[in-house]
Amino acid sequence: MRTLVVAEVVSGSGIATGFAVTSLLAEEISGSASLAGLSQTAATLGGAAAAGAVAALTHVKGRRPGLSAGYLAAAVGAVICVVAAVERSFPLFLLGMVLYGAAGATGLQARFAAADLAEPNQRGKAMSLVLTTTVVGAIVGPNLTGPGAALAEGLGLPPMSGTFLFAILGFGIAFAMISLCLRPDPLLLARGQDAAAGEREKAPPLREMLLTLRGNTPAQTAISTIVAGHLVMIAVMSMTGIHMHHADVGLGVIGAVLSGHLAGMYGFSSLFGWAVDKFNSRSVLFGGLAAMLLSMLVSGTAHGTDVIQLAVGLALLGLAWSAVLVAASVLLSESVDVTARPAVQGFSDMAMNIAAAVGAALSGIILEQLGFGILTAISGAVLLLPLLAVPAGRRRNPGATSDIPSP
């Protein structure tokens, strides 16, 4: 747990540092707000690919190889982003963002590693503890925008590329921590395998994994809410900075608003984990979706210069996303047995990143053509179906249990 916590702090700082200026740098390189949304699309598609790859490697080799490979890929991506800024190459920048997106997917997979050895009634606490520590990096990261610009100028680099230098450092430390210190491997211990020897399981084929989900209403509910919540969060968060920038709000203020959002995403995860363990995952899940809808109303009625209102709306969005992610992740882990768990968890994270990639691509077009208010209205509509599905999905299914630990 200590290893996971340290890795999350430094990697979270790297993620937040880069994402604070990603859309702005993409717009500067490409010269288009519509194309700027593609940078987030590239990152989420990279996260989707990384989620599948990390899950497959984890299933066969354990958590340590999977997580360390993800952070190494992200570090390489951050290097490519710096080169792309220097060369002013938008295609190269998108390539870098594809690899950069592996950091977010890997960090999210780490929450499942925290729950591998947790007692059934402590899974929410274990997952949320790892997510909560990310708040340190989330708060620090966006506020490195100014120092990053100064560092880049001192090195003769484009100002906005400086934050990616901090990202390289953060991902490198996370890679080293996981590689050297995540011993013994928690997943292998949970399977009753020795970390150094013993038979390794092959990753189940996609068809077999989908059959595991068929008829498992709790698992389906968990995945659908994770997908919808992440899609909306990415679409609105990635365009809020541009919405403010178009209103001539300064980079420092934009960074502070995004910092509040990221603090909401991770700072209160432990509270939601406690609530899941104390009550049940469905109640927290329903409340999180309702709060996310409210955040769409608050943010969507704000002009680009309404900094306080946008800050409140974005912070509420972060809090709601955290509640949805923690509750749905616990529900998913409870609904699938330990043998199929890594593959299903990876599929869930892969699906949410693919959906978010579509949302990010469309968000820039919607912002430019229809405005920020319409973007939040459409995002709110996306949340209605999973909001109705949470209470409707209470029915138990053969071979699957909700809010009951799996064998």
Side-chain angles (χ1 to χ4, degrees):
M1 287 296 293
R2 286 194 297 269
T3 297
L4 290 171
V5 164
V6 173
E8 283 294 284
V9 168
V10 294
S11 65
S13 178
I15 294 169
T17 298
F19 277 125
V21 299
T22 293
S23 297
L24 299 177
L25 181 56
E27 185 179 27
E28 180 180 282
I29 295 174
S30 66
S32 168
S34 296
L35 291 178
L38 292 179
S39 64
Q40 192 65 58
T41 301
T44 48
L45 284 175
V54 169
L57 185 57
T58 296
H59 191 90
V60 178
K61 298 292 185 180
R63 297 287 182 191
R64 184 173 64 252
L67 296 178
S68 59
Y71 286 130
L72 180 60
V76 173
V79 172
I80 294 176
C81 286
V82 174
V83 175
V86 173
E87 299 296 328
R88 300 192 65 81
S89 170
F90 190 61
L92 186 61
F93 183 72
L94 293 181
L95 173 61
M97 290 305 300
V98 168
L99 293 174
Y100 191 91
T106 305
L108 289 174
Q109 291 268 320
R111 76 192 190 276
F112 293 122
D116 282 335
L117 299 176
E119 294 295 329
N121 64 345
Q122 295 289 311
R123 285 176 179 152
K125 178 182 178 181
M127 285 190 186
S128 61
L129 175 61
V130 171
L131 288 173
T132 299
T133 57
T134 310
V135 73
V136 178
I139 292 174
V140 172
N143 291 291
L144 291 175
T145 303
L151 175 62
E153 289 179 337
L155 296 174
L157 301 173
M160 286 190 186
S161 70
T163 55
F164 286 95
L165 299 176
F166 291 118
I168 295 169
L169 178 63
F171 299 152
I173 294 174
F175 165 74
M177 284 294 301
I178 295 296
S179 298
L180 299 175
C181 303
L182 192 64
R183 300 172 185 273
D185 193 289
L187 180 62
L188 299 185
L189 280 182
R191 288 175 175 169
Q193 296 178 344
D194 182 81
E199 184 179 355
R200 300 292 186 262
E201 299 185 33
K202 294 181 179 179
L206 179 62
R207 181 175 180 274
E208 181 181 331
M209 183 184 62
L210 293 178
L211 287 175
T212 300
L213 293 174
R214 190 176 67 180
N216 189 333
T217 302
Q220 293 171 5
T221 299
I223 292 174
S224 66
T225 50
I226 288 174
V227 167
H230 197 62
L231 185 156
V232 168
M233 189 276 291
I234 290 293
V236 175
M237 179 270 289
S238 61
M239 289 298 111
T240 299
I242 291 180
H243 179 52
M244 298 173 70
H245 187 60
H246 287 172
D248 295 324
V249 176
L251 284 178
V253 175
I254 293 174
V257 171
L258 291 176
S259 180
H261 167 71
L262 293 167
M265 287 175 64
Y266 301 108
F268 296 88
S269 296
S270 290
L271 175 62
F272 300 129
W274 170 85
V276 168
D277 293 335
K278 179 70 174 179
F279 303 105
N280 60 73
S281 55
R282 290 186 185 278
S283 297
V284 178
L285 195 53
F286 187 86
L289 288 169
M292 192 170 280
L293 268 175
L294 178 60
S295 74
M296 295 299 101
L297 177 62
V298 174
S299 296
T301 55
H303 296 290
T305 53
D306 295 334
V307 174
I308 300 299
Q309 186 173 342
L310 285 169
V312 171
L314 212 58
L316 180 58
L317 175 61
L319 284 168
W321 175 87
S322 179
V324 168
L325 183 68
V326 171
S329 297
V330 173
L331 179 59
L332 182 61
S333 292
E334 291 171 338
S335 304
V336 183
D337 65 53
V338 68
T339 301
R341 197 172 294 160
V344 172
Q345 290 165 344
F347 174 77
S348 171
D349 284 359
M350 182 172 63
M352 81 176 189
N353 278 290
I354 290 174
V358 174
L362 295 176
S363 64
I365 299 173
I366 294 172
L367 175 67
E368 192 166 63
Q369 300 297 325
L370 301 175
F372 189 71
I374 298 299
L375 172 62
T376 57
I378 294 173
S379 298
V382 170
L383 296 170
L384 290 177
L385 185 59
L387 182 68
L388 297 174
V390 170
R394 290 183 182 277
R395 178 175 59 85
R396 300 296 172 87
N397 293 275
T401 57
S402 175
D403 299 322
I404 295 178
S406 57

